[in-house]
C-alpha cells in the first residue's frame, strides 16, 4: 500500500511539473492562447513562490537562524551550499572562508545547506551557540579568538596593499562574475547549480532582483564592452602584482590569498567559455597557475568533495 501511494504521489508531482512547464512555455511564446487552466496553474505557482519568498525575506529581516541544540565549545560550524561537480562551493565568499580556515589550520565542521545566516547571506558560521555572518567579519573574529595572524609577516604598507586588492576583487570584480552567471549565462544556471528545470524557473525571480541590484551598484549600467574592459583591467592588475611569486604577497599565503582565490576559482572552474575564463587562462596564465597551486596545497579533498573519480577526469 505504501509503495502504491508513493508511486501515485510521484506520478501526480510529475504531472504537475509538466503542466507548469507547458504553461510557462505557452506564456512566453503565445500568451494569447493561454487557457484558463494554464493561467490558474501559473497563478497558483506565483502565489506559492511569493509565499516562499515572503517567508524567507521575513526570516532574513529578523536575523534569526536555527542553531544546533548541542555544540562543542570552541568549534567552528561552517554553513555553505553543498558542493557541485564544478567546484566545492558556488559562492566565492564560501571558497574564501573555507580556504582561510584551511590556511589557518582551524578545525571546523561543514554543514551543507542553503539556510542563510544572521545577515541574510551565505556562508556563515556557528560558534559557541551564536551565529555569525559576513566572511570578512568572521575572519576578523576568528583571528582574535584563535590568535591567528596570517599577515604577521607583512609591513604596514603591504597590509594596505593586501586590503586594497581584497576590496577590489570583492567590491568590484565580484560583480562582473555575478552579471555573467545570473544575467549573461542564466540559461546554464540550472546545470551549474545541479537543480531540476522547474527550480530554474523559480530562479528567474531572483534574476530580476539581481538585475536591479547590479543597476543600483553601477556595474549594470555599463555596456558589455565597458564591463569586460573593467574586469580585464582588474585581473591584469592582479596578474602584474603576482608576477612569479607563489602567493600574492610573497613566498607564503596571507589573508588576501583566500579572498583572491575565492573569486578566481569561480572564473576558472565554473565559467568555461567566458571572457573571464579566457582572461585568467590565456591573457594571465600566472593566475591560472596560482589557482591550481592554491587548490593542490589547501584542497587535497577537492575531487572527493565534487564527486570526481579517475574515470571522470
Amino acid at each position: 500500500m505504501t509503495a502504491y501511494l508513493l508511486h501515485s504521489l510521484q506520478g501526480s508531482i510529475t504531472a504537475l511539473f509538466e503542466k507548469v512547464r507547458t504553461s510557462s512555455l505557452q506564456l512566453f511564446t503565445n500568451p494569447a492562447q493561454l487557457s484558463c487552466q494554464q493561467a490558474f496553474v501559473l497563478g497558483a505557482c506565483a502565489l506559492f513562490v511569493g509565499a516562499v519568498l515572503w517567508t524567507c525575506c521575513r526570516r532574513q529581516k529578523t536575523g534569526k537562524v536555527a542553531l544546533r541544540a548541542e555544540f562543542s565549545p570552541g568549534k567552528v560550524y561552517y554553513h555553505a551550499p553543498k558542493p557541485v561537480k564544478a567546484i566545492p562551493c558556488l559562492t566565492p565568499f564560501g571558497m574564501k572562508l573555507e580556504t582561510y580556515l584551511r590556511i589557518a589550520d582551524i578545525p571546523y565542521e561543514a554543514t551543507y545547506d542553503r539556510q542563510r545566516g544572521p545577515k541574510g547571506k551565505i556562508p556563515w558560521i556557528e560558534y559557541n551557540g551564536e551565529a555569525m555572518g559576513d566572511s570578512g567579519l568572521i575572519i576578523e573574529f576568528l583571528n582574535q579568538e584563535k590568535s591567528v595572524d596570517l599577515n604577521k609577516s607583512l609591513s604596514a604598507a603591504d597590509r594596505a596593499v593586501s586590503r586594497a586588492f581584497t576590496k577590489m576583487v570583492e567590491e568590484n570584480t565580484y560583480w562582473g562574475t555575478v552579471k555573467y552567471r545570473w544575467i549573461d549565462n542564466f540559461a546554464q544556471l540550472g546545470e551549474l547549480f545541479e537543480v531540476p528545470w522547474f527550480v530554474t524557473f523559480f530562479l528567474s525571480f531572483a534574476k530580476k532582483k539581481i538585475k536591479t541590484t547590479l543597476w543600483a551598484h553601477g556595474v549594470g549600467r555599463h555596456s558589455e564592452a565597458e564591463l569586460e574592459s573593467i574586469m580585464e583591467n582588474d585581473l591584469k592588475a592582479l596578474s602584474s602584482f603576482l608576477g612569479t611569486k607563489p602567493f600574492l604577497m610573497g613566498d607564503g599565503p596571507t589573508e588576501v590569498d583566500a579572498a583572491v582565490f575565492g573569486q578566481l576559482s569561480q572564473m576558472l572552474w565554473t565559467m568555461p567559455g567566458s571572457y573571464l575564463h579566457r582572461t585568467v587562462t590565456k591573457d594571465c596564465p600566472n593566475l591560472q597557475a596560482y589557482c591550481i597551486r592554491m587548490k593542490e596545497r589547501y584542497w587535497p579533498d577537492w575531487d572527493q568533495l565534487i564527486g570526481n573519480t579517475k574515470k571522470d577526469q
Side-chain angles (χ1 to χ4, degrees):
M1 177 63 71
T2 301
Y4 173 77
L5 290 174
L6 288 175
H7 179 74
S8 299
L9 180 61
Q10 183 180 11
S12 299
I13 293 174
T14 301
L16 175 61
F17 286 152
E18 181 61 24
K19 285 184 179 180
V20 173
R21 187 181 71 84
T22 55
S23 299
S24 300
L25 290 174
Q26 186 69 41
L27 176 65
F28 290 112
T29 57
N30 193 2
Q33 298 299 317
L34 196 69
S35 68
C36 293
Q37 184 185 43
Q38 289 174 323
F40 175 79
V41 169
L42 290 176
C45 287
L47 288 173
F48 173 76
V49 172
V52 171
L53 292 176
W54 181 83
T55 301
C56 293
C57 291
R58 183 185 180 189
R59 183 175 62 186
Q60 290 174 26
K61 288 179 179 179
T62 62
K64 296 180 180 179
V65 295
L67 300 176
R68 64 193 68 232
E70 298 181 0
F71 59 86
S72 298
K75 186 173 184 178
V76 175
Y77 296 93
Y78 161 78
H79 289 260
K82 69 177 183 178
V84 295
K85 291 179 181 179
I87 198 169
C89 186
L90 275 169
T91 163
F93 299 99
M95 289 297 297
K96 166 194 173 182
L97 180 54
E98 196 164 2
T99 299
Y100 160 81
L101 291 170
R102 291 167 179 242
I103 296 175
D105 199 23
I106 297 175
Y108 67 96
E109 180 179 321
T111 299
Y112 298 121
D113 55 33
R114 289 198 171 273
Q115 181 183 4
R116 296 180 179 272
K119 294 182 180 293
K121 303 189 295 182
I122 45 178
W124 59 285
I125 67 166
E126 292 179 69
Y127 189 81
N128 289 346
E130 295 185 8
M132 301 179 189
D134 189 282
S135 61
L137 296 179
I138 291 170
I139 289 174
E140 287 184 15
F141 168 78
L142 291 176
N143 283 342
Q144 295 181 2
E145 184 72 15
K146 304 293 185 181
S147 298
V148 171
D149 186 3
L150 298 182
N151 296 334
K152 61 184 178 182
S153 64
L154 302 183
S155 66
D158 287 340
R159 287 174 183 256
V161 171
S162 174
R163 180 172 177 80
F165 271 116
T166 297
K167 292 306 175 183
M168 181 189 79
V169 297
E170 293 187 346
E171 305 296 342
N172 194 63
T173 317
Y174 164 70
W175 291 103
T177 64
V178 170
K179 183 177 184 298
Y180 177 79
R181 177 177 289 176
W182 282 90
I183 308 300
D184 304 337
N185 203 41
F186 182 79
Q188 305 300 319
L189 206 59
E191 181 180 355
L192 177 63
F193 283 14
E194 297 177 9
V195 294
W197 67 265
F198 58 86
V199 176
T200 306
F201 171 76
F202 295 139
L203 289 176
S204 62
F205 293 92
K207 175 185 175 181
K208 293 180 180 178
K209 182 178 179 181
I210 289 172
K211 195 170 184 178
T212 300
T213 301
L214 289 169
W215 182 265
H217 176 275
V219 72
R221 301 168 189 256
H222 300 310
S223 68
E224 293 297 324
E226 289 170 340
L227 181 59
E228 287 189 21
S229 177
I230 292 170
M231 295 301 106
E232 287 172 357
N233 286 338
D234 280 2
L235 294 173
K236 288 177 180 177
L238 271 176
S239 177
S240 296
F241 188 80
L242 175 63
T244 59
K245 300 192 299 290
F247 300 98
L248 201 66
M249 303 307 296
D251 293 332
T254 58
E255 281 184 25
V256 69
D257 289 296
V260 170
F261 178 69
Q263 301 295 330
L264 294 182
S265 62
Q266 304 296 317
M267 303 176 195
L268 183 58
W269 285 293
T270 74
M271 301 180 181
S274 69
Y275 74 92
L276 294 165
H277 185 273
R278 184 201 68 232
T279 304
V280 170
T281 58
K282 302 297 183 183
D283 301 337
C284 305
N286 64 332
L287 294 183
Q288 180 181 22
Y290 166 82
C291 286
I292 294 173
R293 188 160 50 249
M294 289 287 292
K295 172 189 169 185
E296 291 178 346
R297 182 163 177 173
Y298 296 108
W299 291 85
D301 54 345
W302 182 288
D303 288 336
Q304 179 184 352
L305 286 169
I306 66 175
N308 237 359
T309 65
K310 290 183 179 180
K311 184 177 179 181
D312 297 325
Q313 294 173 359

